[in-house]
Amino acid sequence: MKEIFRLALINMRTQPLLAALTVIGSAVSICLVMMVFIVRQASLADYGNEPNRSRTLYCCAQVFKRAKGGTESSWMGGRLVNEVFLPLKTPQAIAVFKGISKQEVALTGLESQEIYVRAANADYFRIFRFDLLAGQTFTPEECHEGSRLVILSESVAAHYFSHPAEAVGQEVSINEDSYVVKAVVRDVASIMKAAYAQAWIPCSVEEDFGRNGPYQVAMLGESEAGLAAIRDEVEQRLRVHNQTVLPDTLDLLGQPASQEDYFYRNSANRIPGLKNIRREFYIIYLVLLVIPALNIASMTRSRLRQREAEIGVRRAFGATRRAILVQTFMESMVQTLLAGLLGLGLCFLLLACFGGSITQGVLNQSMGPTFGFAWTLDLSILFQPAVWLWTLLFCLILNAISSLVPTWRASRCNIVESLK
Amino acid sequence: MSMIELKKVGRVFRTSEVETIALENVNISIEKGEFVAIMGPSGCGKSTLLNIMGLLDRPTEGEVILKGTPTGSLSDRRAAAFRNRTVGFVFQSFHLIPSLNVLQNVEMPLLYCGMSEGKRHERARQLLEQVGMSHRLRHLPSQLSGGQSQRVAIARAMACNPDILLADEPTGNLDSHMSAEIMQLLLQLNQKEGRTIVMVTHNEEQAHQADRIIRFFDGRQVE
Ligand SMILES: Nc1ncnc2c1ncn2[C@@H]1O[C@H](COP(=O)(O)OP(=O)(O)O)[C@@H](O)[C@H]1O
Ligand SMILES: [Mg+2]
């Protein structure tokens, strides 16, 4: 094993150009694949402001099937939230919130800005994690009463106040209503579908018994395994609830659902085709790996051609075909792993610089930028084991495609021919 | 039991256009401890013969028996083991691995008989001392003269302590002074250590130092 590493280094030094080209080529390939993977990971895994995704269930849409025929679909009505979701016993927390909407924010006397505002209840701030820079999040009472309070993101606050602590207690106007700043939190990346906003105001749902409505719900389970119990309880309550809406029926279209489902559920009356989306990603990964791998294969081949004499000598002195195969394959594995590290580094560099446009491109997100709009990715995603494991997996695949055939050929070469 | 036994060995090279008969009906038996010189004009099949004896090539006809083992149907693994432990090769153009230093070149065959790193070092040093190259352990092949390269190549051939040494024009690329030195080394290995040596040479003087001369002409043994 040690010998294999030593030989890999020796050979990289004796064929520096080919080795460098191979490593750079592989690194670029790994970088592209990981870029896509990381963006997907950032949208689905426990990460950043949404650290509990794996033990959260979401419900954001409802469809009424009318007895007369036809359907009405919308986000969830207040009545459904009050009768089915809020009384649930199994979740540890039940966040009720609305979708983000563009609103005008202003400080008296200053020109106004358009920002994304979201209404949310107290539990919302338990399920999603916000870095408080000053002040406190809403209490249940404040939400219940619909108090005129607002939590601002750092960059919005910075536009009007010189320091976050200075903002707390000040008044700002949102769509010409006056709100008191209760807290300032660090900016949230727009990839956080539930947590993202630039300002949050209390969400009061308790008095709202509307049939259709603007609400979404996130329910926190004890663990991923505990989510089944929540689903069961929701189903049970929904059955009872459905008796009260007769002769119509209320359908949640497969919800409550996972983070992945929630992330891609962009229309109230359609279940997202997760299988197709996953398949698309696998195809993207494969294309991003296979095409460079074929190029690298030709480099591996010419690298081994140049070493034909050496391989012949080794065989003449007792190396088996297997030994040659293992040695040459492991040598390129060492290079590919090196390329993997390099590629990962490159990927983070690119995400750090152009995270926004990359995220937007990969996910087809269509939110238009507003003032202080944050597309950036929190680079802590680097430390997720899944990212490293998948990099390793991609390296293995890349290496298998790019060097299995050339190394197999090299191991089969005719000894006398290669010594000529 | 002969060390090397060739029975009716033939080797034909076929390409799409031509068929070259490199060896035809060769019968040779070489005993343990013999020093045999092979002579003949160039292109008469000497190298082909040596390659076949050393299992680098397979005959198209006949049988090669090494130390009593018929080698025709050996698996790659067992053939590799023979090349590793029973036979040592010395080539006219040395064939040292250019990216490895002298010590690493001599250690290379030991890698394939699974010797530990410490033992490999020790054995390689000892062999290099024997051929008078212990002062050049860290040199690369490109930094050695022809005679020095061939000494290292002989040390490498001896690495796994083989019974048989096959030398294909080992002095062909060397001047007469260096040739004599290499010849001396081979004679020593034969006389002191009892190794069986088969050497191809164009040099009559060297050939007469061997126990026996086999002459070839056009793929046939003539003497
Ligand atoms: N791979 C090969 N393909 C075709 N012909 C070959 C091949 N190797 C050797 N020969 C032919 O076989 C004959 C013997 O070659 P070789 O054993 O190298 O001769 P020597 O070593 O005596 O000079 C020559 O005519 C040579 O051209
Ligand atoms: Mg020859």
Side-chain angles (χ1 to χ4, degrees), chain A residues 103-107 110-115 117 152 156 160 172-175 199 371:
Chain A
Q103 303 196 15
E104 297 278 333
V105 64
L107 196 66
L110 284 175
E111 103 283 17
S112 67
Q113 300 285 353
E114 232 182 11
I115 62 167
V117 177
L152 295 179
V156 173
Y160 296 108
V172 295
S173 84
I174 295 172
N175 276 9
F371 156 78

Side-chain angles (χ1 to χ4, degrees), chain A residues 7-206:
Chain A
L7 281 171
L9 286 181
I10 289 175
N11 285 317
M12 280 169 74
R13 246 186 294 144
T14 50
Q15 295 174 307
L17 188 68
L18 269 175
L21 281 175
T22 309
V23 170
I24 291 170
S26 312
V28 168
S29 171
I30 295 287
C31 168
L32 289 174
V33 172
M34 286 314 294
M35 203 107 87
V36 176
F37 179 81
I38 284 170
V39 170
R40 184 160 157 86
Q41 187 74 0
S43 66
L44 302 184
D46 293 353
Y47 160 67
N49 303 87
E50 300 181 355
N52 301 311
R53 285 167 173 172
S54 61
R55 57 184 184 109
T56 303
L57 281 177
Y58 300 84
C59 200
C60 63
Q62 63 176 33
V63 175
F64 270 108
K65 295 195 174 124
R66 290 197 214 117
K68 300 182 279 210
T71 59
E72 295 161 41
S73 50
S74 71
W75 282 349
M76 296 196 296
R79 182 156 165 229
L80 176 66
V81 173
N82 277 305
E83 293 187 355
V84 173
F85 290 100
L86 286 179
L88 290 173
K89 299 272 185 306
T90 31
Q92 293 191 330
I94 302 167
V96 180
F97 52 101
K98 299 183 189 175
I100 44 176
S101 65
K102 267 189 202 171
Q103 303 196 15
E104 297 278 333
V105 64
L107 196 66
T108 1
L110 284 175
E111 103 283 17
S112 67
Q113 300 285 353
E114 232 182 11
I115 62 167
Y116 281 116
V117 177
R118 187 193 292 280
N121 73 349
D123 269 6
Y124 175 91
F125 295 92
R126 284 177 58 199
I127 297 181
F128 307 115
R129 189 184 62 201
F130 294 89
D131 294 331
L132 274 172
L133 298 174
Q136 291 297 319
T137 58
F138 307 132
T139 62
E141 293 71 34
E142 286 165 348
C143 293
H144 190 90
E145 289 158 12
S147 311
R148 288 294 169 91
L149 297 170
V150 64
I151 295 173
L152 295 179
S153 74
E154 187 179 9
S155 53
V156 173
H159 189 70
Y160 296 108
F161 308 100
S162 56
H163 191 270
E166 216 170 273
V168 175
Q170 300 291 314
E171 279 190 12
V172 295
S173 84
I174 295 172
N175 276 9
E176 297 178 351
D177 288 327
S178 171
Y179 286 76
V180 173
V181 178
K182 176 132 200 251
V184 176
V185 295
R186 216 179 279 291
D187 286 2
V188 176
S190 61
I191 199 168
M192 305 290 158
K193 187 174 177 186
Y196 178 70
Q198 292 171 294
W200 294 261
I201 56 177
C203 177
S204 131
V205 65
E206 286 84 352

Side-chain angles (χ1 to χ4, degrees), chain A residues 417 420, chain B residues 13 15 20 22 41-49 169:
Chain A
E417 286 297 318
K420 271 192 177 149
Chain B
F13 289 102
T15 60
T20 315
S42 109
C44 71
K46 306 182 296 293
S47 296
T48 306
L49 179 76
E169 302 187 41

Side-chain angles (χ1 to χ4, degrees), chain B residues 23 34 36 58 67 95-96 151 159 169 174 180 188 197 210:
Chain B
L23 294 175
E34 258 196 294
V36 175
R58 300 213 162 182
K67 289 177 85 177
H95 282 315
L96 296 175
R151 283 162 184 276
E169 302 187 41
L174 306 179
Q188 254 180 39
I197 299 185

